[in-house]
Amino acid sequence: MTRVRYIADSMTEAITAARRHHGMGVRIVHAGARRTGAFGRALSFEVVIEAATRTSQARRAAREAMARAVMVGRLAADEANASLAAMTTGPACAAVMARLGARLRAQSLPTSLVDHVLGQVGAELQSAAADEIELMAQAAAVNAVAALLPVAAAHTPRRADVAGRPWIIAIAGPTGVGKTTTLAKLAAEWRVARGLRVGLLAADSFRVGAVEQLRTYGSIIGAEVRAANGATSAREALAALAGCDVVLVDTPGRGHRDVGRIGEIASVLTALRPDETYLVLPGSASARTLEESSDAFAPIGATHVVLSKLDESEGLGALIGAVRRGGTPTSWFTTGQEVPDDIEHADAHAFARRLLAEPSVVETKF
């Protein structure tokens, strides 16, 4: 190794000169200011480097040339792809696709699904005329997003035979997702609109006011209510509701990280043997919380998912990710607190239109 000194009017110039002659990876062993001239009044800067042998210099230069060539190649490929896209779709189509991608990401749709939707829409727009792009893109996006959400109609309870067993539906999920309100909406629909004999089983006797809340709903719609605490008393309460056509079971809310207590809910459901179990996932939760909830409540053996609080959601795409993660189809949507209103059968296209709708802006003047 040979040491070489570079002196310049500024430190930047000295380092630049050293790197220009010996490569960007040159080893600097000293850098500092130095005074020269009479009485040391002139200020300059020096950089001392260790210069490699000619062979090492040649290898380094070859590596740097290769790296530059690769970078230039990538930039050329990107420019070629961009030019091809512009020639194929035109600026109007590119703008529509950009807005669609931004909307999907704003709705917290997983990245892989955003790419899938954009690919589907892009394929549909290959032959679109300029004046059709907006409408075709919207229709294609709705279809693509709707195809991502698994939907299955839940069983519609009917009047049981005299000696028949009630149709049992358990409703479970994390704390505060709207389980009891969802139960009340379903109970009102089947009791008032269909005239079925509805029973309500409160397995959530730990939460303050839970049983009283259910008794209030029951008294309003004329439904019989029983309370239970544990698997044994749940079976006894269910036996007392044997004369009903349908029994709705309100389970305790548990945090999605409270694995032990979620296991207790699963034990109660095993004792009751429900015909259907609804897992309630709220639109107001984050993508991470929804995914963790889907995983945590797997032991309850959900047959359907209820997507609640859609009116409060700022990221409907996260619900799609959670439903697909759990592999259980949706059956109901809830969109508010009103009982018996604000509940509807799951419709993938309606969900997609809600997700893709531009947010309304309210202007306030002072």
Side-chain angles (χ1 to χ4, degrees), residues 3 38 49 65 74 76 88 100-101 115 163 201 243 262 274 298 309 315 354:
R3 292 195 174 188
I49 58 95
R74 288 176 178 172
T88 304
L100 174 59
D115 295 339
L201 199 164
I262 292 174
K309 303 187 178 184
R354 179 187 287 267

Side-chain angles (χ1 to χ4, degrees), residues 35-43:
R35 294 190 177 276
T36 59
F39 307 106
R41 291 178 179 177
L43 181 64

Side-chain angles (χ1 to χ4, degrees), residues 158-200:
R158 296 179 174 83
R159 187 170 293 279
D161 296 332
V162 175
R165 175 179 180 269
W167 190 262
I168 303 170
I169 300 174
I171 299 180
T175 304
V177 298
K179 295 185 299 299
T180 304
T181 305
T182 298
L183 178 147
K185 292 173 182 177
L186 293 173
E189 166 68 17
W190 293 330
R191 175 61 181 153
V192 177
R194 299 181 181 274
L196 299 179
R197 297 164 295 181
V198 176
L200 307 180

Side-chain angles (χ1 to χ4, degrees), residues 89-329:
T89 62
C93 187
V96 169
M97 295 292 284
R99 288 198 301 271
L100 174 59
R103 180 61 180 165
L104 295 173
R105 285 185 285 272
Q107 285 284 347
S108 302
L109 190 68
T111 301
S112 60
L113 299 184
V114 171
D115 295 339
H116 173 78
V117 171
L118 293 178
Q120 295 287 102
V121 174
E124 290 289 330
L125 297 183
Q126 288 289 330
S127 58
D131 58 347
E132 298 176 336
I133 290 175
E134 288 280 357
L135 290 177
M136 286 187 66
Q138 180 68 16
V142 168
N143 289 334
V145 172
L148 297 176
L149 182 66
V151 172
H155 174 81
T156 300
R158 296 179 174 83
R159 187 170 293 279
D161 296 332
V162 175
R165 175 179 180 269
W167 190 262
I168 303 170
I169 300 174
I171 299 180
T175 304
V177 298
K179 295 185 299 299
T180 304
T181 305
T182 298
L183 178 147
K185 292 173 182 177
L186 293 173
E189 166 68 17
W190 293 330
R191 175 61 181 153
V192 177
R194 299 181 181 274
L196 299 179
R197 297 164 295 181
V198 176
L200 307 180
L201 199 164
D204 189 4
S205 59
F206 294 99
R207 181 167 64 88
V208 176
V211 177
E212 288 72 14
Q213 183 182 17
L214 216 57
R215 291 192 191 281
T216 299
Y217 285 135
S219 64
I220 293 173
I221 65 174
E224 190 174 355
V225 180
R226 289 287 185 272
N229 182 5
T232 301
S233 62
R235 281 192 295 265
E236 295 171 352
L238 183 59
L241 298 171
C244 296
D245 300 311
V246 57
V247 173
L248 294 165
V249 182
D250 189 22
T251 64
R254 293 290 183 257
H256 59 278
R257 293 172 183 164
D258 195 349
V259 178
R261 295 201 171 183
I262 292 174
E264 294 173 1
I265 297 174
S267 298
V268 171
L269 297 184
T270 299
L272 293 176
R273 296 186 297 114
D275 298 285
E276 294 178 296
T277 299
Y278 297 168
L279 172 61
V280 183
L281 296 176
S284 55
S286 67
R288 180 177 178 180
T289 298
L290 289 169
E291 290 181 355
E292 291 179 353
S293 297
S294 179
D295 293 344
F297 279 85
I300 69 171
T303 59
H304 297 83
V305 173
V306 176
L307 300 182
S308 67
K309 303 187 178 184
L310 297 190
D311 56 312
E312 301 178 21
S313 176
E314 295 183 0
L316 292 173
L319 288 169
I320 293 179
V323 172
R324 292 173 65 87
R325 183 183 183 92
T328 304

Side-chain angles (χ1 to χ4, degrees), residues 317-344:
L319 288 169
I320 293 179
V323 172
R324 292 173 65 87
R325 183 183 183 92
T328 304
T330 57
S331 59
W332 297 94
F333 298 155
T334 72
T335 56
Q337 295 295 317
E338 295 297 323
V339 177
D341 302 323
D342 297 339
I343 188 168
E344 56 195 61

